[in-house]
Short mmCIF file of all heavy atoms in Angstrom, two decimals:
data_model
loop_
_atom_site.label_atom_id
_atom_site.label_comp_id
_atom_site.label_asym_id
_atom_site.label_seq_id
_atom_site.Cartn_x
_atom_site.Cartn_y
_atom_site.Cartn_z
N GLU A 79 94.69 101.39 89.94
CA GLU A 79 93.40 102.02 89.95
C GLU A 79 92.70 101.78 91.27
O GLU A 79 92.57 100.67 91.75
CB GLU A 79 92.55 101.37 88.86
CG GLU A 79 91.16 101.91 88.75
CD GLU A 79 90.28 101.22 87.80
OE1 GLU A 79 90.69 100.24 87.15
OE2 GLU A 79 89.14 101.66 87.58
N CYS A 80 92.31 102.88 91.91
CA CYS A 80 91.55 102.89 93.22
C CYS A 80 90.51 103.97 93.09
O CYS A 80 90.82 105.13 92.99
CB CYS A 80 92.56 103.10 94.31
SG CYS A 80 91.89 102.87 96.01
N ARG A 81 89.25 103.57 93.29
CA ARG A 81 88.16 104.49 93.12
C ARG A 81 87.20 104.44 94.23
O ARG A 81 87.01 103.42 94.89
CB ARG A 81 87.41 104.14 91.76
CG ARG A 81 88.24 104.36 90.51
CD ARG A 81 87.33 104.35 89.32
NE ARG A 81 88.06 104.49 88.10
CZ ARG A 81 87.53 104.77 86.91
NH1 ARG A 81 86.25 104.83 86.79
NH2 ARG A 81 88.23 104.87 85.86
N ALA A 82 86.48 105.55 94.40
CA ALA A 82 85.40 105.67 95.45
C ALA A 82 84.17 106.17 94.80
O ALA A 82 84.20 107.10 93.93
CB ALA A 82 85.81 106.64 96.59
N SER A 83 83.05 105.54 95.05
CA SER A 83 81.80 105.95 94.50
C SER A 83 81.29 107.15 95.30
O SER A 83 81.83 107.47 96.32
CB SER A 83 80.71 104.80 94.56
OG SER A 83 80.21 104.70 95.89
N PRO A 84 80.20 107.83 94.82
CA PRO A 84 79.58 108.76 95.66
C PRO A 84 79.01 108.07 96.93
O PRO A 84 78.87 106.85 96.90
CB PRO A 84 78.43 109.35 94.79
CG PRO A 84 78.84 108.94 93.38
CD PRO A 84 79.57 107.66 93.50
N TRP A 85 78.57 108.87 97.88
CA TRP A 85 77.82 108.25 98.99
C TRP A 85 76.43 108.00 98.52
O TRP A 85 75.79 108.96 97.95
CB TRP A 85 77.86 109.20 100.24
CG TRP A 85 79.21 109.27 100.87
CD1 TRP A 85 80.18 110.16 100.57
CD2 TRP A 85 79.64 108.43 101.89
NE1 TRP A 85 81.26 109.98 101.44
CE2 TRP A 85 80.96 108.90 102.23
CE3 TRP A 85 79.11 107.31 102.59
CZ2 TRP A 85 81.75 108.25 103.25
CZ3 TRP A 85 79.94 106.70 103.57
CH2 TRP A 85 81.23 107.17 103.89
N VAL A 86 75.94 106.81 98.73
CA VAL A 86 74.54 106.46 98.37
C VAL A 86 73.71 105.85 99.42
O VAL A 86 74.33 105.33 100.42
CB VAL A 86 74.55 105.50 97.10
CG1 VAL A 86 75.40 106.13 95.89
CG2 VAL A 86 75.20 104.12 97.54
N SER A 87 72.44 106.00 99.32
CA SER A 87 71.60 105.47 100.38
C SER A 87 70.54 104.42 99.82
O SER A 87 69.65 103.98 100.63
CB SER A 87 70.84 106.61 101.06
OG SER A 87 70.18 107.36 100.14
N GLU A 88 70.59 104.06 98.57
CA GLU A 88 69.66 103.14 98.00
C GLU A 88 70.41 101.93 97.41
O GLU A 88 71.37 102.05 96.69
CB GLU A 88 68.78 103.85 96.91
CG GLU A 88 67.95 104.96 97.41
CD GLU A 88 67.21 105.63 96.32
OE1 GLU A 88 67.15 105.13 95.23
OE2 GLU A 88 66.64 106.73 96.59
N ALA A 89 69.81 100.77 97.74
CA ALA A 89 70.50 99.51 97.26
C ALA A 89 70.60 99.42 95.79
O ALA A 89 71.62 99.01 95.26
CB ALA A 89 69.67 98.30 97.88
N ASN A 90 69.55 99.81 95.08
CA ASN A 90 69.57 99.67 93.61
C ASN A 90 70.65 100.57 92.95
O ASN A 90 71.21 100.18 91.92
CB ASN A 90 68.19 99.95 92.98
CG ASN A 90 67.73 101.41 93.29
OD1 ASN A 90 68.15 102.05 94.16
ND2 ASN A 90 66.76 101.83 92.44
N VAL A 91 70.94 101.72 93.59
CA VAL A 91 71.93 102.60 93.03
C VAL A 91 73.30 101.97 93.26
O VAL A 91 74.15 101.90 92.40
CB VAL A 91 71.94 104.01 93.79
CG1 VAL A 91 73.08 104.85 93.31
CG2 VAL A 91 70.60 104.69 93.43
N MET A 92 73.56 101.42 94.44
CA MET A 92 74.81 100.75 94.72
C MET A 92 75.06 99.54 93.84
O MET A 92 76.11 99.31 93.32
CB MET A 92 74.92 100.34 96.15
CG MET A 92 76.27 99.62 96.49
SD MET A 92 77.69 100.63 96.15
CE MET A 92 77.60 101.85 97.51
N LEU A 93 73.97 98.78 93.61
CA LEU A 93 74.16 97.60 92.74
C LEU A 93 74.46 97.99 91.31
O LEU A 93 75.24 97.37 90.64
CB LEU A 93 72.81 96.84 92.84
CG LEU A 93 72.65 95.89 93.98
CD1 LEU A 93 71.22 95.33 94.00
CD2 LEU A 93 73.67 94.80 94.07
N ARG A 94 73.83 99.05 90.87
CA ARG A 94 74.08 99.59 89.53
C ARG A 94 75.58 99.96 89.43
O ARG A 94 76.31 99.73 88.39
CB ARG A 94 73.22 100.82 89.23
CG ARG A 94 73.29 101.20 87.77
CD ARG A 94 72.09 102.01 87.33
NE ARG A 94 71.93 103.24 88.11
CZ ARG A 94 70.96 103.48 89.04
NH1 ARG A 94 70.02 102.60 89.22
NH2 ARG A 94 70.98 104.64 89.66
N LEU A 95 76.15 100.66 90.43
CA LEU A 95 77.51 100.97 90.45
C LEU A 95 78.42 99.74 90.40
O LEU A 95 79.39 99.65 89.60
CB LEU A 95 77.90 101.86 91.70
CG LEU A 95 77.19 103.23 91.81
CD1 LEU A 95 77.49 103.84 93.07
CD2 LEU A 95 77.67 104.08 90.64
N MET A 96 78.08 98.74 91.27
CA MET A 96 78.91 97.56 91.38
C MET A 96 78.93 96.76 90.09
O MET A 96 79.91 96.16 89.73
CB MET A 96 78.52 96.67 92.55
CG MET A 96 78.77 97.34 93.86
SD MET A 96 78.49 96.10 95.29
CE MET A 96 79.82 94.97 95.08
N ARG A 97 77.77 96.74 89.45
CA ARG A 97 77.64 95.92 88.13
C ARG A 97 78.58 96.50 87.10
O ARG A 97 78.87 95.77 86.06
CB ARG A 97 76.21 95.88 87.74
CG ARG A 97 75.39 94.90 88.57
CD ARG A 97 73.97 95.01 88.25
NE ARG A 97 73.19 94.12 89.11
CZ ARG A 97 71.93 94.28 89.50
NH1 ARG A 97 71.28 95.38 89.09
NH2 ARG A 97 71.31 93.42 90.32
N GLN A 98 78.96 97.72 87.24
CA GLN A 98 79.89 98.30 86.20
C GLN A 98 81.37 97.98 86.51
O GLN A 98 82.26 98.36 85.76
CB GLN A 98 79.68 99.83 86.24
CG GLN A 98 78.37 100.28 85.71
CD GLN A 98 78.16 101.76 85.73
OE1 GLN A 98 78.99 102.49 85.24
NE2 GLN A 98 77.12 102.22 86.33
N VAL A 99 81.65 97.29 87.68
CA VAL A 99 83.00 97.04 88.06
C VAL A 99 83.35 95.56 87.69
O VAL A 99 82.55 94.71 88.03
CB VAL A 99 83.22 97.18 89.58
CG1 VAL A 99 84.59 96.90 89.98
CG2 VAL A 99 82.84 98.64 89.94
N GLU A 100 84.41 95.37 87.00
CA GLU A 100 84.97 93.99 86.76
C GLU A 100 86.29 93.85 87.42
O GLU A 100 87.08 94.72 87.44
CB GLU A 100 85.09 93.85 85.24
CG GLU A 100 83.77 93.88 84.45
CD GLU A 100 83.99 93.66 83.01
OE1 GLU A 100 85.14 93.45 82.56
OE2 GLU A 100 83.00 93.60 82.22
N CYS A 101 86.49 92.64 87.91
CA CYS A 101 87.77 92.36 88.48
C CYS A 101 88.87 92.28 87.51
O CYS A 101 88.75 91.71 86.44
CB CYS A 101 87.69 91.01 89.26
SG CYS A 101 86.58 91.02 90.67
N VAL A 102 90.01 92.90 87.88
CA VAL A 102 91.16 93.07 86.96
C VAL A 102 92.42 92.73 87.77
O VAL A 102 92.57 93.14 88.87
CB VAL A 102 91.29 94.48 86.36
CG1 VAL A 102 92.50 94.54 85.45
CG2 VAL A 102 90.05 94.81 85.54
N GLY A 103 93.33 91.98 87.12
CA GLY A 103 94.61 91.61 87.73
C GLY A 103 95.37 92.89 88.26
O GLY A 103 95.37 93.91 87.63
N GLY A 104 96.03 92.72 89.39
CA GLY A 104 96.78 93.84 89.95
C GLY A 104 97.14 93.54 91.42
O GLY A 104 96.77 92.44 91.98
N HIS A 105 97.91 94.47 92.07
CA HIS A 105 98.28 94.27 93.41
C HIS A 105 97.34 94.99 94.34
O HIS A 105 96.58 95.83 93.96
CB HIS A 105 99.77 94.84 93.61
CG HIS A 105 100.74 94.05 93.00
ND1 HIS A 105 102.10 94.43 92.92
CD2 HIS A 105 100.69 92.78 92.35
CE1 HIS A 105 102.85 93.53 92.29
NE2 HIS A 105 102.02 92.54 91.94
N THR A 106 97.31 94.58 95.60
CA THR A 106 96.48 95.21 96.61
C THR A 106 96.88 96.64 96.87
O THR A 106 98.08 97.07 96.70
CB THR A 106 96.54 94.45 97.93
OG1 THR A 106 97.83 94.44 98.50
CG2 THR A 106 96.07 93.02 97.80
N GLN A 107 95.93 97.48 97.28
CA GLN A 107 96.12 98.84 97.50
C GLN A 107 95.33 99.20 98.84
O GLN A 107 94.63 100.29 98.96
CB GLN A 107 95.65 99.73 96.44
CG GLN A 107 96.31 99.42 95.06
CD GLN A 107 95.81 100.33 93.92
OE1 GLN A 107 95.86 101.49 93.96
NE2 GLN A 107 95.24 99.63 92.92
N ILE A 108 95.56 98.41 99.88
CA ILE A 108 94.81 98.64 101.15
C ILE A 108 95.21 100.01 101.81
O ILE A 108 94.43 100.67 102.34
CB ILE A 108 95.09 97.48 102.05
CG1 ILE A 108 94.69 96.13 101.40
CG2 ILE A 108 94.39 97.66 103.37
CD1 ILE A 108 95.08 94.87 102.15
N GLU A 109 96.54 100.31 101.74
CA GLU A 109 96.92 101.60 102.35
C GLU A 109 96.14 102.73 101.69
O GLU A 109 95.77 103.71 102.44
CB GLU A 109 98.47 101.79 102.24
CG GLU A 109 98.96 103.00 103.01
CD GLU A 109 100.45 103.17 102.87
OE1 GLU A 109 101.13 102.42 102.13
OE2 GLU A 109 100.98 104.15 103.41
N ARG A 110 95.98 102.74 100.45
CA ARG A 110 95.25 103.85 99.84
C ARG A 110 93.76 103.89 100.25
O ARG A 110 93.16 104.94 100.46
CB ARG A 110 95.27 103.73 98.29
CG ARG A 110 96.65 103.97 97.63
CD ARG A 110 96.53 103.99 96.14
NE ARG A 110 95.76 105.05 95.58
CZ ARG A 110 95.40 105.21 94.27
NH1 ARG A 110 95.87 104.33 93.41
NH2 ARG A 110 94.70 106.21 93.83
N VAL A 111 93.18 102.72 100.51
CA VAL A 111 91.87 102.64 101.04
C VAL A 111 91.77 103.37 102.43
O VAL A 111 90.87 104.09 102.78
CB VAL A 111 91.36 101.18 101.12
CG1 VAL A 111 90.05 101.14 101.93
CG2 VAL A 111 91.16 100.66 99.73
N LEU A 112 92.74 103.00 103.24
CA LEU A 112 92.78 103.63 104.60
C LEU A 112 93.01 105.10 104.54
O LEU A 112 92.40 105.84 105.35
CB LEU A 112 93.88 102.92 105.45
CG LEU A 112 93.74 101.40 105.63
CD1 LEU A 112 94.74 100.92 106.62
CD2 LEU A 112 92.28 100.93 106.01
N LYS A 113 93.88 105.60 103.71
CA LYS A 113 94.16 106.97 103.48
C LYS A 113 92.83 107.70 103.16
O LYS A 113 92.54 108.76 103.65
CB LYS A 113 95.23 107.24 102.52
CG LYS A 113 96.65 106.97 103.03
CD LYS A 113 97.73 107.17 101.85
CE LYS A 113 99.05 106.91 102.33
NZ LYS A 113 100.11 107.14 101.24
N HIS A 114 92.15 107.10 102.20
CA HIS A 114 90.99 107.67 101.68
C HIS A 114 89.89 107.74 102.86
O HIS A 114 89.18 108.82 102.98
CB HIS A 114 90.32 106.88 100.52
CG HIS A 114 88.90 107.24 100.17
ND1 HIS A 114 88.62 108.34 99.46
CD2 HIS A 114 87.74 106.60 100.47
CE1 HIS A 114 87.28 108.45 99.29
NE2 HIS A 114 86.75 107.41 99.88
N THR A 115 89.80 106.67 103.60
CA THR A 115 88.84 106.72 104.77
C THR A 115 89.21 107.74 105.72
O THR A 115 88.29 108.40 106.29
CB THR A 115 88.77 105.30 105.33
OG1 THR A 115 88.52 104.33 104.33
CG2 THR A 115 87.68 105.23 106.36
N LEU A 116 90.48 107.92 106.02
CA LEU A 116 90.89 108.99 106.92
C LEU A 116 90.41 110.32 106.42
O LEU A 116 89.99 111.13 107.14
CB LEU A 116 92.41 108.94 107.04
CG LEU A 116 93.02 108.00 108.03
CD1 LEU A 116 94.52 107.83 107.81
CD2 LEU A 116 92.76 108.48 109.43
N ALA A 117 90.63 110.57 105.16
CA ALA A 117 90.28 111.87 104.55
C ALA A 117 88.71 112.09 104.71
O ALA A 117 88.23 113.15 105.14
CB ALA A 117 90.67 112.03 103.10
N GLU A 118 87.94 111.06 104.46
CA GLU A 118 86.50 111.13 104.55
C GLU A 118 86.15 111.37 106.01
O GLU A 118 85.19 112.19 106.28
CB GLU A 118 85.85 109.85 104.01
CG GLU A 118 85.93 109.74 102.54
CD GLU A 118 84.97 110.54 101.70
OE1 GLU A 118 84.16 111.26 102.37
OE2 GLU A 118 85.07 110.53 100.49
N GLY A 119 86.79 110.70 106.90
CA GLY A 119 86.40 110.79 108.32
C GLY A 119 86.74 112.11 108.89
O GLY A 119 86.11 112.55 109.92
N ARG A 120 87.79 112.75 108.44
CA ARG A 120 88.16 114.05 108.95
C ARG A 120 87.24 115.15 108.45
O ARG A 120 87.06 116.15 109.08
CB ARG A 120 89.64 114.39 108.55
CG ARG A 120 90.60 113.59 109.34
CD ARG A 120 92.03 113.64 108.75
NE ARG A 120 92.95 112.86 109.59
CZ ARG A 120 94.08 112.34 109.23
NH1 ARG A 120 94.51 112.48 107.94
NH2 ARG A 120 94.88 111.74 110.01
N GLU A 121 86.63 114.81 107.27
CA GLU A 121 85.72 115.86 106.70
C GLU A 121 84.36 115.74 107.35
O GLU A 121 83.68 116.73 107.69
CB GLU A 121 85.56 115.57 105.19
CG GLU A 121 84.64 116.59 104.52
CD GLU A 121 84.60 116.29 103.09
OE1 GLU A 121 85.66 115.98 102.45
OE2 GLU A 121 83.50 116.43 102.45
N ARG A 122 83.90 114.50 107.63
CA ARG A 122 82.64 114.23 108.25
C ARG A 122 82.67 112.81 108.85
O ARG A 122 83.23 111.94 108.25
CB ARG A 122 81.51 114.36 107.24
CG ARG A 122 80.12 114.22 107.89
CD ARG A 122 79.01 114.35 106.82
NE ARG A 122 77.78 113.96 107.34
CZ ARG A 122 76.73 113.47 106.51
NH1 ARG A 122 76.88 113.44 105.23
NH2 ARG A 122 75.54 113.16 107.07
N LYS A 123 81.99 112.65 109.96
CA LYS A 123 82.09 111.33 110.78
C LYS A 123 81.81 110.12 109.87
O LYS A 123 80.82 110.06 109.15
CB LYS A 123 81.10 111.41 111.92
CG LYS A 123 80.99 110.07 112.67
CD LYS A 123 82.27 109.80 113.38
CE LYS A 123 82.13 108.50 114.25
NZ LYS A 123 83.50 108.14 114.89
N VAL A 124 82.75 109.17 109.97
CA VAL A 124 82.58 107.89 109.31
C VAL A 124 82.42 106.85 110.52
O VAL A 124 83.25 106.82 111.38
CB VAL A 124 83.76 107.40 108.43
CG1 VAL A 124 83.65 105.97 108.03
CG2 VAL A 124 83.75 108.32 107.24
N ASN A 125 81.35 106.08 110.49
CA ASN A 125 81.07 105.24 111.60
C ASN A 125 81.79 103.88 111.60
O ASN A 125 82.01 103.24 112.67
CB ASN A 125 79.52 104.96 111.78
CG ASN A 125 78.76 106.21 111.99
OD1 ASN A 125 78.53 107.05 111.10
ND2 ASN A 125 78.38 106.47 113.26
#
């Protein structure tokens, strides 16, 4: 499981999203995170 939230600009919205996430056993998926960031950055600048 690897998920991305919408882009948000308010702290309370992000906190609400994070509070719905619970840690679950599993392996790392760092490569998927990097692939996702590449896709986002090619669509529009990621700083």
